[in-house]
Amino acid sequence: MGHVWVSARIGNVDLSRVVEVRALVDTGATLTVIPRSLANELGLAVTGKSRVETGAGIIEVDRSRAWVEIEGRGEVVPVLVSDIIDKVLIGVTTLEVLGLEVDPVTGRLREMRLLLY
């Protein structure tokens, strides 16, 4: 399966600033990652810091919260703010919150079954 790109709307928590972006779905990322320039444009507040493991080692990044909408499904989710990555990466936590998953056969997003046991 190749890369999965989606159209997404990213905004601040009160939705007073929202932009449409092309985002890469990254099933190897736990949280969604937003470039620092986009976080600044949206006026996202830093809510903390997280140590994250990358291919280049462990780094510390800022955390925030943002509105993420994909295929008409939107929620406020935790995000990481990156000074290194220049594109939006949609992590699996965001996909799960939105009730979406990657279909490995088609390479597209599909509705996932939510579990409540």
Side-chain angles (χ1 to χ4, degrees), residues 6 34 41 61 77 91 99 108 115:
V6 295
I34 295 178
E41 179 183 342
V61 295
V77 296
R108 298 176 55 122
L115 305 175

Side-chain angles (χ1 to χ4, degrees), residues 52-67:
V52 297
E53 189 170 337
T54 72
I58 295 174
I59 61 171
E60 187 171 85
V61 295
D62 288 337
R63 279 181 77 115
S64 189
R65 296 179 59 72
W67 172 264

